[in-house]
Structure formats: structure tokens, C-alpha cells
Amino acid sequence: MAGSKILAAIAGFIVGSVAQTPTKPTYSAILTLDSSINAAPSLIPNILDSTAPNAQDVCPGYKASNVQTTDHGYVADLTLAGVPCNVYGNDILELSLVVEYQSQSRLSVKIQPKYLAPANTSQFLIPGYITGLPGVEEGTNFSDNDLNFTWSNEPSFQFEISRGSEVIFSTMGTVIVFEDQFLELVTSMVPEYNVYGLAEHISNFRLGNNLTRTFYAADDGNPIDANIYGTHPIYLETRYHNGSDSLSHGVYARNAHAQEWLLRADNVTYRTIGGSFDLYFLSGPSAKDVIAQYQGGIVGLPAMQMYWVLGYHQCRWGYQNWTVMQEVVDGYANAGIQLEAVWNDIDYMDQYRDFTNGELNFPVSAGQDFLARLHAAGQHYVPIVDSNIYAPGSDESGVFIRNPDGTFYYGTNWPGFSVWPDFLNPATQDFWTNELTTWYKDIAYDGIWIDLSEASSFCVGSCGTGNLVIDPAHPPFRLPGDPGMVDFTYPEAFNVTNITEAASATLASIAQASSVSATATASSTPPASTFTRTVPTPGFRNLNFPSYVINNFFEGHALVKNSIAPNATHSDAYNTTEYEMHNLFGHMISNATYHALLEVFPNRRPFTIGRSQFAGSGNFTAHWGGDNYSKWGSMYFSISQALQFAIAGIPMFGVDTCGFSGNTDYELCSRWMQLSAFFPFYRNHNVISALAQEAYVWSSVADATRTVMQIRYSLLPYFYTLFYHAHTAGETVMRAVAWEFPNDRQLAGVDNQFMLGSCLLVTPVLVPQAETVMTVFPGLAQGTIWYDWYTLAAVQAEPGVNTSVEAPLGRIPVFLRGGSILPLQQPGNTTATSRQNPFNLLIALDGEGSAAGDLYLDDGESLVQEATKYVKISYLDNAITLNITGSYDSPSPLGNITVAGLNAQPPGITLNGIALKGVMTTFSEGVLRLTGLDTSFMADGVFQQASYMMPASQIPDGQIQVPGETQVASGHSQATGAA
């Protein structure tokens, strides 16, 4: 949200006489700053500057010497091979090379200055306590590694990495450039390469070969192909061989400086404006292997989420008071739609100040009453906390970022002049923890939402220095709903489904534009100067305006725009600057929030969700996709975003469902509510002054949401088990179809459908006015069977052919993979009530008549569990077998069993050799349904290990025998409901 709410206002439109009247905020005349405070020189990005020198043409590279073999690799000196080029900085004359075979699947190549002292180390290296810094794993040696490092010294030092006979990374024929403010390395690529990752950007999942990925955390909404919130410099490449067989590998560059990756037809150029080359190569060989190797071996495994976080969340910028919040909660209850948590945007704050409540609209006493009712109903509350602290009210205790002269850095944000916590100062953790624990005593929140963590400032430089007495209480821009800022944008095709309303919106938009033009005054913002780049100065680093200009999204492209200035200084021993730390601020504030919440809730898994992140942030935070738009394109790109973060190690990801900026409509919101139900994080959130878009507002959206919410909540055990595997083994939750079917080249670019785990294929409708959707069913040529979720009929389709599937409004196509067993739970109105309901087993047989699945159980919230349970479930030879380990008490019974893919009704059902009588049994077109098991046979808990099993000497533990032959499933059952 936040600063890009400016974009929400500029990029959007609201309704005048349209179907619903949006809430228009009213503001009293309060002091604000002139917009000129955010004026900065206009620069030309290097990639757009035809006069910019090419470092490959003018720089000499390095020569290797003193090469020595170590126990785990090589070390060498690298010396500049000619006259310094000083193209975008000052050449570092002597470097050190360290090559380490760190594990069987990981090879590390480090190039850094030979002479480092504590005073300049942070300019080049990221400390290990900030993000993962792996070393050599025990027992690793040359012969065990999948990868091989080779090098050449002619004409200068070059190297390549190979896996077997295949080169996967090569700098041959190029020079390595290493300056104090510019590094460059070029690797050749195979033709038409398949590269994925390099989050965070809004783009297709498979990256093109004519684009530039810029990394500089920015509070700028969701522009296409531009730098936004996060920095994850890892890419995954997949190569197809022998027609289809594929191999994948990964490359991670551990560097937090502003940087760019230039993806071109036959090479990738990696450039940064500081730091060092700290490269890690991962051998795979599958995409899923690469992801697990990256998370498990380098940045760390994702945090295990609390069970309730998997429920549905509702938020809005514009909930005016606690009464409105209660009305939202009641609205969901009255509509019969699950609601797990309600969230507050900045509306609750006293003048937008962190850790405060406005006494008029959000008084503490009324809030305590509201939260008592909410918690009694098993629901939760999550408020926003911005990354800046109101400056005149701060205690200036030394825990804030400073100017180079030692004074506090005063930028501006929602509350006016602000300071920012300095998380390199150990005392700042105590400050942050104290603020959150003190506030919790008044407002019993359940998690914390961190925003503006790029970190965002609405002015250039320390604009509050000497000006704190002004104390502005309004941001230096107009807000949505202000005169001239009414939002009249709607989704594509709104003019087709709502002709009259669309015409009214168009006329109102024209009238508003005319009125604004007639009353506009000359801008007080001085014209910005324009220059291409600064010239490097020996012995000096220009932090605010480095010579190499990245393609920063903001107007003018300067690093000082809309953020803390790069020369702002931290209070660590060596005065590390924001030039080094900018892309790490969001990572560190989320980490500090995680540890603060451990003090608020001892031994409870903290729930924090942040906007800006870095490699390794998934260890402690979730992420949402930021300020997207109520457009069909935004919904489409949400899938690619989620898959980017599957690679990056942040599986707890979702977007603002139905769109944040602009007005949604019933068609888009219906489709989006159904799509997001299959994302790990499921939240609806939109901008102030736009139409209300809670799921109960339109009857069609309510119907669609009720339908999909029943699916979502029944799948909670499956979701939770997927997170267990992500947390313990680096597996993915949402995953690309190509990752599950790696040898089908046709799937390499698929990003309009996805897998949830290995079992479910989701194919949403992503365009307006559609009643069908084209679906590819992977694996058919190899015998994979797909079952329709709603009917459990086997899909009839041809291999490699897009198949048209019926998808009327309110129904999202979902398919179950043959060979899968899904443990389900009958849905309640919250995750807590769902956990108390009976389990169901949904079994989809493969062509051999078998299936398998698993289930992880614990208390759903404790950081350290007293007991857990893991259940392997198999169907083989017409029998279901449960293999149970662990002692967690799970009393829920087994209610139903559904088996799809049988060719005949079984003559009888036995449990541990005892015939089951009184159980409701139906069989239709290959689908067997057993219901009512919980009332007679399994009321004491199906996964209680000994609750229904005979002694092992008499019969295998937990076996439910279902006699009957299996078939390659076919036919069209008319039964409804998957379980």
C-alpha cells in the first residue's frame, strides 16, 4: 500500500452514479509539504544511454596467479591485467579468488578484494548473520561433486562451470570487471534458453531473452517488468535434451547492492554497483531439486506457518472505525462465508503514527471489546505497521538511521517527518520489541503486517532537518477521493457487462479531467536537471549518484527518489550506509518483527507479512504481491508472482484478491476470489475511495466464494502438509506444471495454470466474458489420469493438446491427479472448527490401481511442538494402509472415503478383516463413496494409531480393505462433491 497509493489514485478512476457509491474520505485542511520536496535530478539509465561506455570493450580484466589447490577447491590471486578502465568506479587492483566444492550439488565461486579491513568489509560482503552464508558440508570432496570448475588465463582470467559434459555457466571470451561502484560478469547462454526467477518483478514466469531485471527495492505498485519490492538474485534454468528430457540448474548471486541482470539472446550480463561476486551454482538436476538445494543449503528453509493463517483474510484501506470492522465480520457471517481474520490498514492509527490508535474512530477500549468478540469466535486480527516512526514523537535514542554528519535522517511519510529504525544497531531490536509488546497490552493483535519497508520516503534526502517545527500532518500529495482524484477505472470489459455504468464513469472522468485542468496552477516543483552519469573520482564513492545508472522505475531514475538516500548512515561500528543496506531494510525489519513477536507470544510461531524482502526472508516472513490493480492482467500475473516466490523460498505468498487499485466488478472479483483460494495466502484488500469488494457485496461473488471456500477449507490438511514439507525439505507449495512434468518441453512457458502440490491442477479463467478455458493435461502420453474435482470423472483429452473445459462464472476448473490420496477435513466456519470435524480420504487411482498421500498433524501454532504425527497413506491391492508415526493427539474421526477409478462396485468392505455394516455405500461410474464411518466405526479418531487397529500379529496396522478390481478410469459420473 502506502506511497504507491499515489499510483492507485493516478492510475485509477472511481464511480459517480455507478452501481455502488464508493466511500469518499473527508479531510480537514491540515498542513502539508509542497511536492517539490521529492524533486531529484533526472538521469538516463545505462541500458538506455547510447553514449555509455561498454565495460567489455574498455576494461582489461584480471590475471590469475598463485593458484593453489585446497581440501575443497582452489584459491588464487587476481591482478588487474592492464591499465585501469575506471569506467563506472575505481578499479580494484588486486582480488582474491576462492572456489569451494561445498556439497555434492553446490559449488561456490567468490571474487572479492584481496585486502579487506573491518572498516570497509560491509562495502563488499554481507555478514552471515543477515542472510545465509553456507560453507563446506562435512564429507564433501572433489570427486563427490556434480559440478566442475575450470578456468583459463588467456587473454585474461575466465572460468566456466559444467555438469558432466554440459557447460552451464561460462565467462569465456569476456572480461571480469571489479570496481568499487561497478561489477560486471557475462555468461554465455544456449539459444532460446528457459530462465525463471530473479524475483521480484511483474512479468511472465519464463523470462524473455531481451529484457533487463533491475533490483532496487521501490514503493511503486505493480508496474510491468520494473523493479518493485524484493531482491532475490537467483535464477533457475531448464534445458531440454533429446527432444524432451530436461535438466535444471540454479545460479545465486549473494549481493544486496542495486544491480541489474541483462538477459539477451545469447548471454546474461550481471552488473552491480557494489559488493563482490559471491556466486553459488546448484546442480539440480530437476527444478524441484534446485529449489530445495537453494533453500535447504543456502538461504534457509521457509518458516512453518500457523494453521489459522491458511484461512481467509479480509482487509481494506478505508475501514473507518471499529463499528465498520464489526459490520464486515457480521457481513461474512450473514452470507455464510468463512472469515478467518480481519485486517486494518493505516486508518486505525492516530495521525498515521505507528503503535497508536486514533481515539475518535479506533479507541483502545472499543477495540478491546471488538477483539474479545472476534477471538471468542475463533477469528483473528492483523494490523499494519509502517516502517517509519513519527520524528517529533521519537525519543532520538540512537536507534534510528542518521545523516553522514551524525544527525538523525529525517525523511517524510504518512505521519509527516519520520525516522527509520537502524537494525544494524543491536539496541534497535530491544526498541522494536518494546514497541510491539507495549502496544499488544492495549490491542491484542494476532500477527503484524509490515509495510513501506523498501524503505520508502516521500521526499528526497533529509528534508526534515531543520524543519521539524513545521510538523506536516498530511502527505505531500493528494489522496484518493480528494477533489480531482476520484477514481473511475474499471476492469477490462466492464463496458460490456455494465454499459450504462461504464458510460457514466467515462463522462464523469472527462468532467473531472476538465475541471482539474481549468483550476490547475503552475507547479511549484522546479524543473529537474538532466544528466547521464557522474564521473568516477579516485578515492571517493558517490553514493547518491553513482556513475552507473540503474533503470530505477521512478521518474528520473535517481536512487534518492522515493526512498532513504543511499548516503544515510547506520550506527554500527563502521558506519555502513544505505548504499549497502537499501535492499536489506525490508528483510531486517521483518526479522526484527519475527523476534519481537516471539516475546509477545512465547513459543508461538510468529505471523508477520512484509512487502520488501531479500534472499532468506522466507525464514521468518510471508509476502503479499503489493499494490496491484483491479485488472484481468493483474490477476493473470499473480500466478507468475507466486511461482517466482516458490523459487525464492517464500511459499506463503498471495496477492490483493480482486485488486488493490481501481474499482473491481462482479465478474473479475468472482474469478479472482476463486483463483486466490488456491494460493497459500488468501486475502481481499483494496484502496480507499474505490468500490467495496468484500465477497458478500455481489450475490454472484458470494456464490462463487462460498463454493470455492468449501474446497479451500476442506483442503486445509493438504495445505498444511505441503507447508510441513516446505519447512523441513524445501519443497514447493504452489508449483509450475513444468516442475511436476519436467520432460515435456511444451510446458516450459505455461503460467496460466499451476499445480498445488503434486496432486491438484488448477486452470483459472483469466479473461473476461469467457465460459470455457483451454487446459493442457500433462502426462497423458505417459499414462497420467486426471479426474475432474467436481464429478471425479476421468478427463477425456488428447496428449499435448489444449482441451476446452467448461468454466461458467462461479466454477474454477480443478483436476485431481491419478495416484493421489488427499486427506481432507469437513469445512467449518473457521480453521479452528474445521480442525474439529471428521477427516475424509479422497483417493484417485492411477492406471495401476494404486495411490499414495500423506498427512502432517500438530497443534497448529507452537514453535516447538510437544508432539507431532506423520501419516503415510497408501492404496494398493484394493487396501488402504495407514503408516503412522508420532504421538500427537488427533481425535477427529474418519467420516468418508471416496475412491475414484474403480471399474466395479466392491462386494464388501472390511476393516482389519471385520466386515463393515451400516456404512452408507454408493457406487456410480467408477466412484465408490463410503459415508458415515464416523458414527459407527471410527468415532475415536482415525489417526490415533491404536483406536481401531487389530494387533499387528493378526493383521497389518490400519488396513481398510476394499476388494474389487481397478481400471484405467473412464466414464462420466454425475455425482457431485469430491468427498
Side-chain angles (χ1 to χ4, degrees):
M1 186 204 53
S4 47
K5 291 171 178 166
I6 311 168
L7 298 178
I10 293 173
F13 312 63
I14 152 181
V15 309
S17 57
V18 261
Q20 302 174 60
T21 303
T23 303
K24 178 180 178 182
T26 58
Y27 301 98
S28 57
I30 52 179
L31 182 63
T32 187
L33 297 170
D34 190 86
S35 61
S36 63
I37 64 170
N38 203 29
S42 182
L43 313 176
I44 300 176
N46 181 274
I47 63 170
L48 303 178
D49 182 1
S50 60
T51 69
N54 182 356
Q56 290 297 311
D57 294 336
V58 299
C59 294
Y62 290 81
K63 286 283 190 178
S65 61
N66 300 324
V67 180
Q68 300 178 38
T69 301
T70 69
D71 290 342
H72 302 289
Y74 309 96
V75 295
D77 294 331
L78 300 179
T79 306
L80 198 67
V83 177
C85 59
N86 297 329
V87 60
Y88 297 112
N90 300 294
D91 284 76
I92 307 297
L93 302 182
E94 295 183 79
L95 306 173
S96 67
L97 167 72
V98 179
V99 178
E100 284 186 333
Y101 291 82
Q102 295 187 335
S103 73
Q104 180 178 346
S105 61
R106 185 175 71 248
L107 174 64
S108 166
V109 176
K110 291 177 168 59
I111 301 174
Q112 62 192 45
K114 182 175 182 179
Y115 302 107
L116 286 176
N120 71 346
T121 296
S122 66
Q123 295 179 24
F124 299 99
L125 307 178
I126 306 173
Y129 73 86
I130 291 179
T131 188
L133 180 60
V136 176
E137 295 181 9
E138 186 176 354
T140 301
N141 55 55
F142 287 102
S143 60
D144 290 339
N145 202 282
D146 300 332
L147 301 172
N148 189 41
F149 173 90
T150 56
W151 65 281
S152 169
N153 233 4
E154 297 300 331
S156 65
F157 175 74
Q158 310 158 73
F159 71 91
E160 63 183 21
I161 309 297
S162 58
R163 179 182 50 205
S165 60
E166 181 177 37
V167 175
I168 63 172
F169 191 94
S170 175
T171 72
M172 296 297 181
T174 68
V175 298
I176 291 173
V177 182
F178 201 120
E179 300 175 342
D180 59 355
Q181 289 193 270
F182 180 74
L183 287 74
E184 180 175 283
L185 181 149
V186 183
T187 177
S188 58
M189 300 294 285
V190 298
E192 299 181 354
Y193 52 81
N194 302 295
V195 164
Y196 313 86
L198 295 177
E200 179 179 16
H201 298 88
I202 308 300
S203 68
N204 292 103
F205 177 50
R206 179 173 57 180
L207 304 180
N209 61 6
N210 187 26
L211 61 83
T212 298
R213 281 285 174 260
T214 300
F215 287 117
Y216 193 70
D219 173 16
D220 58 359
N222 272 195
I224 304 298
D225 282 334
N227 56 302
I228 49 176
Y229 313 112
T231 300
H232 296 271
I234 174 176
Y235 72 76
L236 183 158
E237 183 184 0
T238 297
R239 298 180 182 178
Y240 293 89
H241 305 281
N242 302 323
S244 292
D245 293 345
S246 75
L247 292 172
S248 295
H249 62 270
V251 178
Y252 168 54
R254 189 177 180 272
N255 186 308
H257 283 77
Q259 58 192 266
E260 292 188 320
W261 296 69
L262 285 65
L263 284 74
R264 301 296 185 261
D266 58 2
N267 63 64
V268 171
T269 300
Y270 168 53
R271 297 171 175 169
T272 86
I273 63 169
S276 65
F277 294 117
D278 191 359
L279 304 174
Y280 298 84
F281 301 92
L282 302 167
S283 66
S286 73
K288 292 193 292 185
D289 290 333
V290 171
I291 295 168
Q293 290 158 6
Y294 172 65
Q295 296 175 26
I298 301 178
V299 297
L301 295 164
M304 186 65 183
Q305 297 295 328
M306 289 184 286
Y307 203 92
W308 68 263
V309 176
L310 296 173
Y312 173 71
H313 306 254
Q314 179 62 52
C315 183
R316 185 177 186 182
W317 179 25
Y319 289 148
Q320 299 97 329
N321 50 50
W322 292 119
T323 300
V324 171
M325 297 283 286
Q326 186 63 56
E327 290 171 354
V328 171
V329 174
D330 295 341
Y332 276 95
N334 294 336
I337 300 173
Q338 284 93 337
L339 176 66
E340 190 68 28
V342 286
W343 296 44
N344 263 135
D345 211 309
I346 58 176
D347 312 277
Y348 77 86
M349 297 178 180
D350 179 14
Q351 302 178 77
Y352 303 136
R353 300 172 186 176
D354 274 356
F355 313 118
T356 66
N357 281 73
E359 280 305 308
L360 288 178
N361 294 345
F362 287 89
V364 168
S365 59
Q368 291 172 343
D369 292 340
F370 168 76
L371 293 175
R373 293 190 300 272
L374 191 74
H375 290 147
Q379 295 168 304
H380 302 85
Y381 173 68
V382 181
I384 195 170
V385 171
D386 284 340
S387 299
N388 54 283
I389 301 296
Y390 173 61
S394 64
D395 62 6
E396 301 198 2
S397 62
V399 298
F400 303 119
I401 292 173
R402 298 175 290 114
N403 287 305
D405 64 4
T407 61
F408 283 101
Y409 182 98
Y410 295 115
T412 187
N413 212 283
W414 288 100
F417 291 127
S418 300
V419 289
W420 282 264
D422 174 7
F423 292 104
L424 286 184
N425 182 346
T428 306
Q429 179 67 68
D430 295 335
F431 160 78
W432 197 247
T433 299
N434 180 69
E435 293 295 323
L436 283 167
T437 54
T438 301
W439 187 40
Y440 178 76
K441 294 174 184 176
D442 287 336
I443 299 297
Y445 54 78
D446 298 286
I448 291 294
W449 168 22
I450 297 294
D451 199 12
L452 293 164
S453 52
E454 292 71 35
S456 173
S457 177
F458 299 160
C459 71
V460 169
S462 186
C463 59
T465 297
N467 296 319
L468 294 186
V469 66
I470 298 175
D471 196 17
H474 189 284
F477 46 81
R478 291 177 298 166
L479 294 170
D482 281 353
M485 295 295 290
V486 180
D487 190 341
F488 293 101
T489 42
Y490 284 89
E492 306 89 330
F494 182 75
N495 60 329
V496 176
T497 57
N498 298 269
I499 298 174
T500 302
E501 292 88 342
S504 297
T506 299
L507 291 173
S509 178
I510 294 171
Q512 174 174 266
S514 176
S515 175
V516 170
S517 177
T519 59
T521 59
S523 172
S524 60
T525 303
S529 59
T530 300
F531 62 91
T532 55
R533 58 190 175 276
T534 57
V535 177
T537 302
F540 172 75
R541 293 193 307 152
N542 191 330
L543 301 184
N544 286 348
F545 298 99
S547 297
Y548 183 84
V549 180
I550 66 167
N551 191 26
N552 189 18
F553 170 78
F554 290 117
E555 181 181 7
H557 309 288
L559 300 183
V560 296
K561 190 82 170 178
N562 287 79
S563 66
I564 303 174
N567 70 346
T569 306
H570 291 260
S571 297
D572 60 317
Y574 302 106
N575 297 323
T576 300
T577 65
E578 272 295 286
Y579 189 86
E580 280 73 44
M581 297 302 298
H582 174 83
N583 284 336
L584 290 166
F585 186 94
H587 178 84
M588 297 193 73
I589 193 173
S590 289
N591 186 40
T593 304
Y594 178 93
H595 285 92
L597 292 179
L598 285 175
E599 296 296 320
V600 176
F601 308 104
N603 197 37
R604 203 189 82 170
R605 299 169 191 155
F607 174 61
T608 177
I609 186 165
R611 195 167 68 177
S612 185
Q613 0 73 46
F614 186 73
S617 292
N619 300 171
F620 40 76
T621 190
H623 174 55
W624 91 105
D627 296 352
N628 61 1
Y629 312 108
S630 294
K631 297 288 186 180
W632 291 85
S634 270
M635 180 170 65
Y636 165 75
F637 282 124
S638 70
I639 298 173
S640 295
Q641 282 181 277
L643 298 178
Q644 284 181 34
F645 281 98
I647 296 172
I650 307 182
M652 193 61 191
F653 174 85
V655 298
D656 284 349
T657 301
C658 300
F660 176 75
S661 300
N663 301 290
T664 192
D665 65 8
Y666 75 89
E667 185 185 14
L668 176 61
C669 202
S670 293
R671 295 298 192 188
W672 210 333
M673 285 296 294
Q674 292 214 311
L675 169 60
S676 286
F678 296 92
F679 279 48
F681 178 57
Y682 188 15
R683 185 184 73 166
N684 182 315
H685 176 221
N686 72 321
V687 70
I688 194 171
S689 86
L691 292 177
Q693 63 183 41
E694 290 78 15
Y696 53 76
V697 170
W698 293 276
S699 60
S700 60
V701 178
D703 289 341
T705 303
R706 276 189 290 266
T707 297
V708 80
M709 207 78 83
Q710 292 297 101
I711 301 174
R712 166 82 177 203
Y713 274 66
S714 72
L715 284 169
L716 288 175
Y718 179 61
F719 264 108
Y720 196 64
T721 301
L722 290 175
F723 268 94
Y724 165 73
H725 291 303
H727 174 63
T728 56
E731 295 187 13
T732 55
V733 179
M734 276 184 70
R735 56 190 68 166
V737 180
W739 299 346
E740 281 298 311
F741 298 88
N743 296 327
D744 186 346
R745 185 189 295 267
Q746 296 182 82
L747 303 176
V750 171
D751 57 10
N752 60 349
Q753 57 188 110
F754 60 91
M755 300 288 295
L756 184 59
S758 63
C759 300
L760 293 177
L761 175 67
V762 182
T763 307
V765 173
L766 299 170
V767 295
Q769 299 294 287
E771 294 291 321
T772 61
V773 64
M774 301 303 291
T775 305
V776 60
F777 291 100
L780 292 179
Q782 291 72 43
T784 300
I785 302 170
W786 292 99
Y787 298 89
D788 181 277
W789 173 270
Y790 302 95
T791 68
L792 293 181
V795 169
Q796 304 298 309
E798 295 296 323
V801 177
N802 277 324
T803 303
S804 179
V805 174
E806 294 294 320
L809 192 66
R811 174 170 169 150
I812 180 171
V814 180
F815 304 94
L816 179 60
R817 186 179 184 177
S820 303
I821 298 179
L822 291 186
L824 309 176
Q825 207 155 13
Q826 295 174 20
N829 64 331
T830 64
T831 60
T833 56
S834 296
R835 280 173 65 91
Q836 299 169 9
N837 289 339
F839 285 100
N840 302 327
L841 291 182
L842 175 56
I843 302 170
L845 302 183
D846 62 16
E848 302 298 321
S850 62
D854 63 349
L855 173 66
Y856 173 75
L857 298 166
D858 64 19
D859 68 16
E861 66 173 37
S862 296
L863 188 66
V864 179
Q865 293 285 329
E866 292 185 2
T868 64
K869 183 167 290 180
Y870 181 66
V871 184
K872 290 185 177 180
I873 312 166
S874 64
Y875 184 102
L876 184 65
D877 296 331
N878 302 316
I880 303 169
T881 303
L882 309 180
N883 186 336
I884 303 171
T885 57
S887 59
Y888 175 72
D889 182 25
S890 176
S892 294
L894 179 64
N896 307 326
I897 298 174
T898 302
V899 184
L902 293 167
N903 71 343
Q905 182 172 2
I909 312 294
T910 63
L911 169 62
N912 292 339
I914 302 173
L916 298 183
K917 298 179 180 179
V919 175
M920 294 293 295
T921 304
T922 62
F923 182 82
S924 176
E925 301 194 29
V927 181
L928 172 69
R929 288 182 169 85
L930 309 178
T931 59
L933 292 168
D934 53 317
T935 61
S936 303
F937 298 95
M938 300 183 185
D940 295 331
V942 62
F943 301 122
Q944 289 294 71
Q945 187 104 23
S947 61
Y948 63 87
M949 291 181 283
M950 300 292 288
S953 60
Q954 299 180 33
I955 195 156
D957 284 353
Q959 195 170 86
I960 302 173
Q961 297 177 356
V962 186
E965 297 178 357
T966 63
Q967 64 170 2
V968 176
S970 61
H972 301 277
S973 170
Q974 300 303 308
T976 59

